[in-house]
Amino acid sequence: MTEPIKHPLFARCYARYAGPALRKAGIDEHRRRLLAGLSGEVVEVGAGNGLNFPHYPPEVTRLVAVEPESTLRALAGQQAARAPVPVETVAARAERLPFPDASFDAAVVCLVLCSVADPGAALAELRRVLRPGGQLRFLEHVRAPSPALRRVQRVLDATFWPRLAGGCHTSRDTESAITAAGFAVTAVDRFDFPESRVPLPAAPHVLGTAVRSEE
């Protein structure tokens, strides 16, 4: 059985302040792009308090929302009751998913691979539970393209940022990790969110689709 993760202060701050701030900055447009065209059985890992739920298309027949943090998972359960698709919330870690091989048509990760302890293991699990040809949809903030901003990211990650932000790391090369885990990236959009005149350490984002490779 998965031991619960408890970050109640971070969870409450995220739900009350960070989530609404992201929405005000325009994150919902990117959430809709992330989920557009999905169908069948889908697993979302690191579902948080369920902010993606309203944007799933009706062609999704089953959504399994994995969230290890107990406060966020309880909030996701409330959001699930209002979702346009059937949602099940599950307590589990991304690195150890409690599902058989080839269980899902698609998997979703949204602003979560920055915070898991072992992104490679999490991506390997997602590949395992996807059916052949299954899609991985991803929206993540990532390592900056600028060497100067990468240095700032590394300093943040080595000091206070992960403790302040629930284990988040700003400098992960998520696109390379997805490829290394056995996925073929078929579409990717790189952009800064939120847009700012001053480079922000957590602003570089990628949004894309990858397919489980059979090689």
Side-chain angles (χ1 to χ4, degrees):
M1 183 176 179
T2 300
E3 294 183 7
I5 294 176
K6 295 185 178 181
H7 296 299
L9 179 60
F10 167 77
R12 287 195 294 268
C13 287
Y14 184 86
R16 182 170 296 182
Y17 302 110
L22 288 172
R23 187 173 187 181
K24 186 176 181 180
I27 193 69
D28 282 357
E29 174 190 349
H30 300 302
R31 293 185 190 276
R32 286 190 289 269
R33 289 201 296 144
L34 172 70
L35 305 173
L38 287 176
S39 61
E41 297 182 285
V42 179
V43 59
E44 180 180 342
V45 171
N49 55 330
L51 296 182
N52 279 333
F53 296 173
H55 306 293
Y56 275 92
E59 291 79 12
V60 171
T61 57
R62 178 191 179 213
L63 172 60
V64 178
V66 175
E67 174 52 54
E69 206 289 319
S70 54
T71 300
L72 290 174
R73 189 172 63 255
L75 293 171
Q78 298 172 20
Q79 184 80 308
R82 302 186 295 272
V85 299
V87 180
E88 307 164 27
T89 58
V90 174
R93 296 173 186 258
E95 300 93 336
R96 191 180 299 175
L97 297 176
F99 312 119
D101 295 356
S103 296
F104 298 97
D105 300 300
V108 173
V109 286
C110 181
L111 307 178
V112 64
L113 291 177
C114 61
S115 61
V116 298
D118 189 339
L123 287 163
E125 277 290 88
L126 287 169
R127 186 183 184 280
R128 179 185 66 79
V129 301
L130 278 175
R131 293 169 182 141
Q135 288 188 349
L136 171 68
R137 301 286 187 92
F138 55 93
L139 169 57
E140 298 286 342
H141 69 81
V142 294
R143 179 181 299 174
S146 154
L149 190 53
R150 283 201 299 268
R151 286 194 291 272
V152 173
Q153 288 178 327
R154 287 195 294 270
V155 170
L156 289 176
D157 290 352
T159 53
F160 66 89
W161 188 264
R163 291 186 179 183
L164 180 67
C168 172
H169 295 74
T170 63
S171 63
R172 287 184 171 170
D173 186 359
T174 298
E175 191 176 344
S176 294
I178 289 170
T179 302
F183 290 94
V185 175
T186 57
V188 65
D189 180 22
R190 302 176 184 88
F191 58 96
D192 282 352
F193 177 85
E195 295 183 1
S196 172
R197 293 182 180 180
V198 178
L200 301 174
H205 280 66
V206 292
L207 186 157
T209 302
V211 177
R212 173 181 160 169
S213 173
E214 297 310 310
E215 295 181 1

